[in-house]
Amino acid sequence: MRHIPEEELHAYLDQALSRSQCVEIESHLAGCVVCRAERDAIAAVRDRTTDLLTAIAPRRVRPPSFQDLTARHHERTDRRRRWMANGLWAASIAAALGLGWFAHELSSNGPGVPGSLPLADANPPAATAVAESSLSAEPRIVRPSARRPARAVVPVAVATPDTAALSAAVPELALAVPSPEPARLELTTQSLQPSGAPAFAGLWRTVSWDGVRADSTRWVPHVEGLPVVEVQMQQGAGGRRPLMVVAQQLSSGQMIRTIAGPVADVSDLLSHQPGQSVTAELQDIAGGAQPARSYDTLRPGDDLLAILGPVSPDSLRAFLLKVR
Amino acid sequence: MDDLERLYLTTYPAVVRFLYRKVWDPDRAEDLAQEVFVRAMAHQPEKPRAWVFAVAANLARDEARAAVRRKRHLTLLSNEPSYLASPPPRADDLVEHDEKMTRVHEALETLTPRDREVLLLWDAGLSYPEIAEQTGLAVGAVGTTLARARKRLLLAYDRHEQQSRSDAAHS
């Protein structure tokens, strides 16, 4: 007669087995004295274990009230919201991308030339240190500026020698660039006007997130980890790649929107937003005036990735790491 | 009462115990437990119970790593393993209880990290599927691991108890 294996008896006593498995075991136990003894022994082992573990517990656990915890949570999100409203988050994003990288881009032959920057560029230690300190602790103002607009715009270009290298490094980022010229991905973040959601011109339809993920052969722009509220897809016209706007919600309730697509299309979309200009401004990070860059420095075939709305530094950092 | 509040009221003590058995400091354990629930409010996880214990384990592990880094700079004078920290003595405890706690602590430390983790998660009230998800084990392997962990815990405990009893007898 096959006896019940030891681990099965443990699982049985832990009530981790299905009803039918239990019935099988019980009917066997009814007719097997050896297994009954084994079951009793294992039950004793379980009880002793629980008894021993009870001994290692702190005395008098005093849980704070749930309201106290809720207050702590709100205080934390309020602090973060205030921080973002000050535009300080933009400084930390710039820092996270690597100070050295910006310096390289500026000192190279000019924005029109594809950079020879390798994709797996390790952040210079100084930049990483700044990023860590500005993202983790209470935010330090990197460069306070009275004229810093409430809507902070930070462009980052990931210049690559060729699409193949980029796709190889970030498999989800399969840029379907028709032109043989090297493609670039420009990133910009813009704060939404407080009045709320942008209305995008043109014909849009709402699609399901799962549907889009399932049949999209290319990377769908979104910030990982945030709940997706809505996906809007533009009716593709004239053989152009349809634009996609993914709306996600922060824990504070604010919405952000991520768009990726050909520069002309995305900047056209953005330019229809009231009161927003598409001109990008480099943040004043390391000191010294940085020239403003506009999107006419990008070339045909380049893609533009835009994030509208405040993004927490953690989410944005994870997102940017993914894109790089 | 929302789900998270209900979870908090029912599992907070278990989370504190779980953390205590990793950080061996009751105040720190409570601090971390509260931190976990505050974070849960921000994240609103879909499977809150499993999420809470996963985050708790991560926080405890980060603490331990920081502590190990600090300890590396110190010269160890005794032969005791550096990870073994004895629980703080309390004036109102019976001497017996303290001995038992220390002995159980020592016995727990003889388990492999994987076995110990599974045992502590089960003691915290997680189900086999939840334990499997958090530890990366197949659900079927959870029973095997628990069987082994329990046996070894008792063996180690009994061995130490016998040891100290015979030491006392011979002194």
Side-chain angles (χ1 to χ4, degrees), chain A residues 28 73 78 88 94 106 120 257:
Chain A
H28 174 93
H73 159 65
D78 283 347
L88 292 172
L106 288 172
R257 282 168 178 76

Side-chain angles (χ1 to χ4, degrees), chain A residues 41-314:
Chain A
I42 289 174
V45 163
R46 281 180 82 251
D47 291 342
R48 272 202 78 203
T49 308
T50 308
D51 174 62
L52 289 191
L53 288 176
T54 315
I56 33 172
R59 289 293 183 89
R60 289 185 300 270
V61 170
R62 291 171 304 271
S65 75
F66 194 68
Q67 285 70 28
D68 288 346
L69 284 189
T70 313
R72 258 172 70 174
H73 159 65
H74 285 145
E75 192 238 333
R76 207 175 277 189
T77 42
D78 283 347
R79 203 189 317 145
R80 198 172 276 175
R81 203 177 298 139
R82 265 183 271 122
W83 184 35
M84 291 200 292
N86 290 340
L88 292 172
W89 62 270
S92 71
I93 290 159
L97 299 169
L99 300 178
W101 191 94
F102 272 108
H104 173 99
E105 180 67 13
L106 288 172
S107 66
S108 70
N109 301 342
V113 176
S116 56
L117 202 68
L119 263 182
D121 180 42
N123 277 338
T128 317
V130 175
E132 289 307 317
S133 61
S134 42
L135 289 175
S136 53
E138 199 59 28
R140 264 184 323 109
I141 299 175
V142 174
R143 180 157 295 274
S145 168
R147 64 160 181 78
R148 182 191 299 273
R151 48 166 194 83
V153 178
V154 181
V156 171
V158 177
T160 64
D162 56 88
T163 334
L166 180 62
S167 298
V170 186
E172 305 103 82
L173 192 66
L175 296 176
V177 179
S179 81
E181 292 179 62
R184 285 204 309 174
L185 187 70
E186 240 346 88
L187 169 72
T188 183
T189 61
Q190 291 178 299
S191 286
L192 283 172
Q193 296 287 35
S195 48
F200 293 117
L203 289 172
W204 292 90
R205 59 189 171 97
T206 307
V207 297
S208 82
W209 173 240
D210 292 330
V212 132
R213 289 297 297 274
D215 56 32
S216 187
T217 53
R218 62 186 180 125
W219 169 68
V220 182
H222 69 292
V223 177
E224 201 81 39
L226 295 179
V228 173
V229 170
E230 189 181 58
V231 183
Q232 297 253 293
M233 214 152 132
Q234 199 178 45
Q235 309 280 24
R240 283 154 45 177
R241 267 186 290 143
L243 279 183
M244 213 180 296
V245 178
V246 178
Q248 292 175 278
Q249 188 167 38
L250 303 179
S251 55
S252 60
Q254 289 172 297
M255 298 284 277
I256 63 165
R257 282 168 178 76
T258 318
I259 316 165
V263 171
D265 292 349
V266 178
S267 56
D268 187 55
L269 202 66
L270 295 179
S271 67
H272 286 134
Q273 298 315 303
Q276 302 218 341
S277 104
V278 199
T279 304
E281 287 173 323
L282 276 176
Q283 288 305 304
D284 197 4
I285 310 150
Q290 313 289 13
R293 289 175 60 188
S294 63
Y295 289 126
D296 48 22
T297 62
L298 293 172
R299 289 153 315 121
D302 289 345
D303 264 9
L304 183 69
L305 177 69
I307 303 181
L308 273 67
V311 187
S312 80
D314 307 318

Side-chain angles (χ1 to χ4, degrees), chain A residues 10 14 48 53 56 64 76, chain B residues 8 21 35 128 150 158:
Chain A
H10 278 265
D14 287 340
R48 272 202 78 203
L53 288 176
I56 33 172
R76 207 175 277 189
Chain B
Y8 172 70
R21 290 153 184 184
E35 175 65 25
Y128 273 37
R150 287 164 175 156
D158 291 337

Side-chain angles (χ1 to χ4, degrees), chain B residues 105-158:
Chain B
H105 178 176
E106 285 171 358
L108 203 58
E109 295 293 332
T110 66
L111 267 49
T112 66
R114 165 73 66 77
D115 287 1
R116 187 166 55 240
E117 187 73 0
V118 171
L119 187 62
L120 291 181
L121 287 172
W122 167 75
D123 191 63
L126 266 65
S127 67
Y128 273 37
E130 284 170 335
I131 295 175
E133 192 178 330
Q134 185 159 331
T135 55
L137 288 171
V139 178
V142 176
T144 319
T145 310
L146 275 176
R148 181 176 59 237
R150 287 164 175 156
K151 259 199 317 204
R152 289 202 178 153
L153 182 76
L154 295 182
L155 264 172
Y157 181 86
D158 291 337

